[in-house]
């Protein structure tokens, strides 16, 4: 097992990474203050892992709240089911909320923990690659609004993150690829050598090689922890973790939550950010194509939805949380391995990016 740390003073917490951690109660116990525990999961993950996690929590009074599965349920109505479960079981302020599932469960359970009786303890047990490399770390919690992704939420850090890499053995290939989008993101924004490593190991990752997966997860979590340590509430460098997300969130919102997976939208959105960075003269055509090729090898889409017009993108992007005083700030690549957040770009270059022929770019790499 490896242990990394998110360093936030009194609110610091460990990220434990290893195979079989669901069966290690000693990793959970130090982070549970009271007698009550509420496991939040969904109808897909619970049949797979709830019993094992419950066994590790046998020393406590445990309830489970099983939510419907999917991005389409990351909303007020589903959040209310968590409060219903906690109140019906008379959970008090010393309860600990445990999120067992992917990023949807983690974001909602975390938001519920932030709100319930004004804040209770919270542990992340992520079971998708995406949630293990990204959403379980850093304390962004929340739900979607029909007009925009993650528009209602709170920064609320977990007390611990427990990553059992063996849970990935049951993850559908499409979901594994979606997680790789956020893994590739770290290489692009802050770790160029990691991109080279990913080019060498992408096939092993897709084949669920545990050694490669553990390396990818720990490098990703380490990169994210450094960014979160430096800028917990996204007043600066944390926004670089949003590479591809301004375009990607527009895709998710426009297409209907769940139609494109978050990781798929981030992949296509990052290709748009690569294209714009190239049009600005910051990266070369070869570097842009290197990124596109890696997404393709990871099994990810690199062409935005045909039906989305420039106007559609602009309408959704205007609601992005990085907009300040009406100016849209974008995360772009100054070079491979270095991201910048900027509102200083010619409008025509954004327009040309939105109107670019991504089908032709994809074929070039195929
Ligand atoms: N808070 C953050 O910092 C942050 C970061 C990235 C993404 N997110 C959010 O995370 C969400 C996406 O997360 P996700 O990709 O994990 O999607 P998800 O939570 O919808 O999980 C994907 C699918 O895999 C299933 N699943 C989960 N674990 C499984 C397992 N071990 N075996 C089989 N099936 C399993 C789920 O039931 C679901 O059907 C989005 O809402 C996104 O906005 C948040
Ligand atoms: O942790 C962060 O910061 C991120 O931006 C990580 C993203 O991968 C993630 O999708 C996040 O939920 C996006 O946040 P948002 O504030 O743009 O909704
Ligand atoms: Zn993301």
């Amino acid at each position: 097992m490896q242990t990394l740390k998110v360093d936030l003073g009194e609110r610091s917490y460990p990220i434990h990474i290893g195979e079989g951690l669901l069966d290690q109660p000693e990793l959970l116990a130090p982070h549970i203050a009271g007698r009550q525990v509420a496991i939040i999961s969904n109808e897909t993950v619970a049949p797979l892992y709830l019993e094992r996690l419950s066994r590790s929590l046998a020393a406590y009074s445990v309830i489970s709240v099983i939510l419907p599965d999917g991005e389409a349920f990351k909303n007020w109505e589903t959040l209310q089911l968590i409060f219903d479960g906690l109140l019906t079981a008379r959970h008090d302020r010393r309860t600990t909320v445990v999120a067992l599932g992917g990023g949807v469960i983690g974001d909602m359970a975390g938001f519920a923990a932030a709100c319930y009786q004004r804040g209770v303890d919270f542990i992340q047990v992520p079971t998708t690659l995406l949630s293990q490399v990204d959403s379980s770390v850093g304390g962004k919690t929340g739900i979607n609004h029909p007009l925009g992704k993650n528009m209602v939420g709170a920064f609320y850090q977990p007390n611990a993150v427990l990553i059992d890499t063996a849970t990935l053995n049951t993850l559908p290939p499409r979901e594994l690829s979606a997680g790789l989008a956020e893994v590739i993101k770290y290489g692009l924004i802050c770790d160029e050598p990691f991109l080279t490593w990913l080019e060498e190991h992408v096939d092993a990752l897709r084949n669920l090689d545990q050694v490669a997966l553990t390396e990818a997860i720990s490098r990703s979590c380490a990169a994210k922890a450094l960014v979160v340590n430096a800028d917990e509430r996204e007043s600066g460098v944390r926004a670089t973790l949003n590479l591809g997300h301004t375009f990607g969130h527009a895709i998710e919102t426009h297409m209907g939550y769940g139609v494109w997976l978050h990781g798929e939208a981030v992949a296509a959105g990052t290709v748009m950010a690569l294209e714009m960075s190239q049009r600005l003269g910051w990266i070369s055509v070869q570097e842009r194509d290197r990124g596109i090729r890696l997404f393709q090898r990871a099994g990810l889409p690199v062409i935005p939805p045909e039906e989305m017009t420039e106007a559609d993108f602009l309408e959704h992007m205007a609601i992005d949380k990085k907009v300040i005083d009406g100016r849209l700030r974008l995360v772009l690549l100054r070079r491979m391995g270095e991201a910048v957040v900027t509102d200083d770009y010619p409008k025509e270059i954004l327009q040309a990016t939105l109107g670019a022929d991504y089908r032709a770019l994809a074929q070039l790499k195929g």
Side-chain angles (χ1 to χ4, degrees), residues 211-276:
V211 175
L213 282 169
T214 303
E215 173 81 6
I217 293 164
S218 63
R219 283 178 84 155
S220 299
C221 287
K224 181 150 187 185
L226 271 183
V227 174
V228 171
N229 294 347
D231 177 25
E232 182 185 2
R233 287 181 168 248
E234 198 175 301
S235 51
V237 67
R238 182 162 185 170
T240 59
L241 296 173
N242 241 239
L243 178 70
H245 284 62
T246 309
F247 302 110
H249 281 172
I251 294 172
E252 287 185 83
T253 308
H254 187 83
M255 299 302 287
Y257 298 124
V259 175
W260 278 54
L261 301 181
H262 176 70
E264 293 172 342
V266 167
T270 303
V271 169
M272 297 174 84
L274 284 163
E275 170 69 5
M276 186 156 166

Side-chain angles (χ1 to χ4, degrees), residues 166-292:
T167 57
L168 299 181
N169 289 326
T170 55
L171 195 66
R174 185 179 169 198
E175 299 291 350
L176 190 90
S177 289
L180 288 174
E182 304 276 24
V183 175
I184 294 168
K185 173 183 80 176
Y186 295 112
L188 290 170
I189 64 172
C190 62
D191 189 355
E192 196 275 335
F194 188 35
L195 277 183
T196 307
W197 184 91
L198 284 168
E199 285 162 343
E200 288 161 4
H201 292 87
V202 66
D203 297 332
L205 292 166
R206 292 187 73 186
N207 288 326
L208 294 174
D209 177 304
Q210 278 285 323
V211 175
L213 282 169
T214 303
E215 173 81 6
I217 293 164
S218 63
R219 283 178 84 155
S220 299
C221 287
K224 181 150 187 185
L226 271 183
V227 174
V228 171
N229 294 347
D231 177 25
E232 182 185 2
R233 287 181 168 248
E234 198 175 301
S235 51
V237 67
R238 182 162 185 170
T240 59
L241 296 173
N242 241 239
L243 178 70
H245 284 62
T246 309
F247 302 110
H249 281 172
I251 294 172
E252 287 185 83
T253 308
H254 187 83
M255 299 302 287
Y257 298 124
V259 175
W260 278 54
L261 301 181
H262 176 70
E264 293 172 342
V266 167
T270 303
V271 169
M272 297 174 84
L274 284 163
E275 170 69 5
M276 186 156 166
S277 305
Q278 188 274 315
R279 284 176 183 267
L280 286 163
W282 294 351
I283 62 171
S284 66
V285 166
Q286 291 73 23
E287 288 169 327
R288 175 200 68 189
D289 293 352
R290 182 185 176 200
I292 295 175

Side-chain angles (χ1 to χ4, degrees), residues 313-332:
F313 270 103
L314 290 171
E315 184 186 330
H316 293 294
M317 284 164 47
I319 303 174
D320 188 271
K321 290 193 278 319
K322 294 183 301 304
V323 171
I324 293 180
D325 295 335
R327 281 291 292 178
L328 174 61
R329 293 183 305 143
L330 288 169
V331 186
L332 300 170

